Amino acid sequence: MAILVIGVVLYIVVPIGTMLFSTLPRRAAAPFECGFEPAGPRVVPFCPKFWLVAILFLLFDVEVALLLPIGRKLSSGILFLGALVLGTALEYGVGSLD
């Protein structure tokens, strides 16, 4: 029980102490680009299509992970393939795959 209490106290005190007593100069806290000053903004904008493709990949990856055992148990992958085809058709119908 004492280890748990010590862990919780450290979990709370260490980040607060780091924020309060940080003495890094502004130049040392800046991002380092091979010895040069930063050339542009810190946050680089990205294309939302890449994000959409990543989300679709995760969606179908989870779908495969959850439905593959069901398809194997039924000894036919009709349910599994049907779910994949239905998901792909819905994404195509919305226009996400264009």
Side-chain angles (χ1 to χ4, degrees):
M1 184 68 173
I3 294 175
L4 180 65
V5 171
I6 292 171
V8 169
V9 169
L10 287 175
Y11 184 75
I12 294 171
V13 170
V14 169
I16 291 173
T18 303
M19 288 186 297
L20 291 177
F21 301 112
S22 177
T23 58
L24 284 176
R26 187 172 185 90
R27 182 172 167 89
F32 183 72
E33 293 184 7
C34 301
F36 299 106
E37 294 295 322
R42 292 182 186 179
V43 179
V44 178
F46 64 95
C47 181
K49 283 206 170 253
F50 293 118
W51 181 80
L52 181 64
V53 168
I55 294 298
L56 288 175
F57 172 76
L58 287 175
L59 175 76
F60 284 115
D61 189 43
V62 170
E63 185 177 358
V64 167
L66 294 176
L67 294 178
L68 186 61
I70 294 172
R72 287 187 177 177
K73 185 176 179 182
L74 293 176
S75 74
S76 67
I78 295 173
L79 177 67
F80 174 68
L81 291 175
L84 287 178
V85 169
L86 178 66
T88 305
L90 287 174
E91 293 297 328
Y92 184 74
V94 171
S96 297
L97 300 178
D98 291 339

